[in-house]
Amino acid sequence: MTQAAFFVLTALADQPRHGYGILREVEDLSEGAVQMRVGTLYGVLDRLTADGLIVLDREEVQSGRLRRYYRLTDEGTAALAAEAERLAAGASAAKKRIAEGRRTSQGAPGTTDVPAAGPGLAGGLA
């Protein structure tokens, strides 16, 4: 699942939203890391609809403009939950490895903080 699809599904997890509302919610949820353009959003919405993860909830006319509201399907909720678990497991594994690496590099027996041998500053021997 792409990052954009993940955040679109997340934006729809609590309530149906229209396109602009989804864009704003994705930006908020990702703390600005994901900023989609309208064309990208509608490509993602079309793909998620084709995959059965979202459906058109309703259409409303506001200020003379048609707004389409989308919502998650049960399959979309399940896919979002599975992806969230996968990402959480990956993050947990990364954090564990980082912590283990820090413990290893901070004076564990058999390790040193001496950099690998390389050329000296002036190229000579000290």
Side-chain angles (χ1 to χ4, degrees):
M1 179 179 299
T2 66
Q3 186 179 40
F6 175 78
F7 278 108
V8 168
L9 292 176
T10 303
L12 296 172
D14 62 341
Q15 67 183 29
R17 287 190 164 80
H18 58 81
Y20 183 67
I22 295 169
L23 287 175
R24 284 193 331 242
E25 194 69 15
V26 165
E27 189 171 339
D28 287 347
L29 289 166
S30 70
E31 297 178 345
V34 178
Q35 296 180 0
M36 289 189 288
R37 294 181 185 217
V38 172
T40 302
L41 171 66
Y42 283 100
V44 171
L45 292 173
D46 288 345
R47 201 166 48 251
L48 293 173
T49 300
D51 291 344
L53 303 180
I54 65 171
V55 293
L56 183 63
D57 184 67
R58 66 187 184 278
E59 294 179 331
E60 294 178 358
V61 177
Q62 291 186 354
S63 303
R65 299 189 68 178
L66 181 66
R67 286 190 169 176
R68 290 189 174 115
Y69 287 75
Y70 295 88
R71 67 174 168 81
L72 286 181
T73 62
D74 290 342
E75 293 83 7
T77 300
L80 177 59
E83 184 68 3
E85 285 297 320
R86 186 187 73 78
L87 291 171
S92 178
K95 287 178 181 180
K96 182 178 177 184
R97 285 289 174 102
I98 290 167
E100 289 170 356
R102 285 186 181 142
R103 281 194 302 273
T104 301
S105 67
Q106 293 177 356
T111 64
T112 64
D113 288 337
V114 177
L121 289 176
L125 298 173

